[in-house]
Amino acid sequence: LSTNEEKFRRVIDAVKDYAIYMLDTTGHITTWNSGAERIHGYTADEIIGQHVSVFYRKGPGAPSAGSQLNEAKTTGHCEMEGIRVRKDGTEFYANVVIAPLYDSRGVLTGFSKVTRDITQVKESEFRLRRMNEELEQRVQDRTAELQAREAQMRTITNAVPILIGQLDKDLKFRFANEALSKWFEIDHRHVIGRTFEEVLGPERYPGNQPFIERAMSGEVITYE
């Protein structure tokens, strides 16, 4: 048992990225690994015997170590994310897992606690969220700008007594002013999305088709 315990202790102590330590039933620290020293800043001599609440923020509304130990004892497991405090007073964002420990008779003997510094992960999430929010705002601003320009263009084109339309590469209307809609006696809402052939009609379209095809090839066409 002593040999196995020593092997286990060495394995735990070799873990540098996680603070892994034990607490007694009242929440006082009984063991300390090298990862805990790196993350929290305390040596084993400085921290063993102190209460785990030394890592928690003080003040109203701050989570308490006692409530989390009680949750672990009641449910068998407690995992949370929150701010923790290092020896030098600086703060970091931590992922914490607490589990109760029992002896063979089912009597509580203490707790195990694993803490991971996830500050960089949270900062990356924050930056990504902020970038998404900025991008969304830019899209909204651009959409509003385009809508304002479209409304302005529509006001201008509706004020002139000539037929004005815009079609895509499939010869479907994407824009039509009021004069065009009235000329063809089609409600403006029903012009958009219809093809040039549908709007001109089967009798008139063939006479216009050669000029349309030349325009689609890149020429500027004027015809009567």
Side-chain angles (χ1 to χ4, degrees):
L1 287 173
S2 296
T3 301
N4 287 338
E5 183 179 356
E6 177 64 18
K7 288 180 180 179
F8 182 72
R9 188 192 64 78
R10 290 185 178 183
V11 169
I12 295 300
D13 195 54
V15 178
K16 306 294 184 183
D17 295 329
Y18 291 82
I20 304 174
Y21 50 97
M22 304 293 184
L23 311 173
D24 63 17
T25 56
T26 61
H28 290 81
I29 299 165
T30 59
T31 67
W32 196 245
N33 79 327
S34 59
E37 181 175 342
R38 187 184 70 82
I39 292 174
H40 290 287
Y42 294 90
T43 64
D45 292 338
E46 292 173 325
I47 200 64
I48 289 179
Q50 292 199 51
H51 195 269
V52 70
S53 59
V54 71
F55 307 132
Y56 287 68
R57 275 177 166 177
K58 305 299 186 292
S64 68
S67 64
Q68 294 174 353
L69 294 178
N70 286 333
E71 180 182 343
K73 184 166 58 175
T74 302
T75 65
H77 179 83
C78 178
E79 181 173 0
M80 82 294 295
E81 293 180 355
I83 300 297
R84 294 295 180 268
V85 182
R86 296 187 180 91
K87 176 185 175 182
D88 60 6
T90 59
E91 296 180 342
F92 66 99
Y93 214 96
N95 172 266
V96 180
V97 179
I98 304 174
L101 303 174
Y102 297 94
D103 62 15
S104 58
R105 297 170 298 171
V107 177
L108 180 70
T109 60
F111 301 88
S112 69
K113 188 169 185 180
V114 180
T115 301
R116 180 166 64 101
D117 185 347
I118 58 172
T119 303
Q120 291 185 347
V121 174
K122 287 298 179 181
E123 289 177 348
S124 297
E125 291 177 354
F126 173 75
R127 285 195 298 269
L128 180 60
R129 185 167 60 252
R130 186 172 60 185
M131 288 173 59
N132 287 336
E133 290 172 352
E134 290 176 353
L135 179 60
E136 183 177 349
Q137 185 60 50
R138 287 169 60 187
V139 170
Q140 291 176 353
D141 292 344
R142 180 59 175 164
T143 301
E145 179 186 350
L146 291 174
Q147 289 174 341
R149 289 172 59 184
E150 181 182 356
Q152 184 182 41
M153 185 61 65
R154 182 170 296 280
T155 299
I156 294 172
T157 56
N158 286 339
V160 295
I162 58 176
L163 281 60
I164 301 175
Q166 182 184 20
L167 300 97
D168 61 19
K169 63 183 180 63
D170 297 319
L171 295 181
K172 291 183 178 180
F173 276 91
R174 289 290 174 256
F175 176 83
N177 70 342
E178 290 181 1
L180 188 146
S181 300
K182 290 178 180 178
W183 180 269
F184 289 105
E185 298 180 340
I186 303 175
D187 186 280
H188 167 74
R189 294 168 297 179
H190 299 152
V191 173
I192 306 305
R194 298 182 71 172
T195 66
F196 210 163
E197 183 174 4
E198 289 174 330
V199 172
L200 287 177
E203 296 180 356
R204 283 177 295 195
Y205 185 75
N208 291 270
Q209 187 174 7
F211 303 103
I212 295 171
E213 290 176 350
R214 287 171 59 190
M216 292 298 291
S217 69
E219 293 185 55
V220 177
I221 303 300
T222 300
Y223 71 99
E224 296 180 358

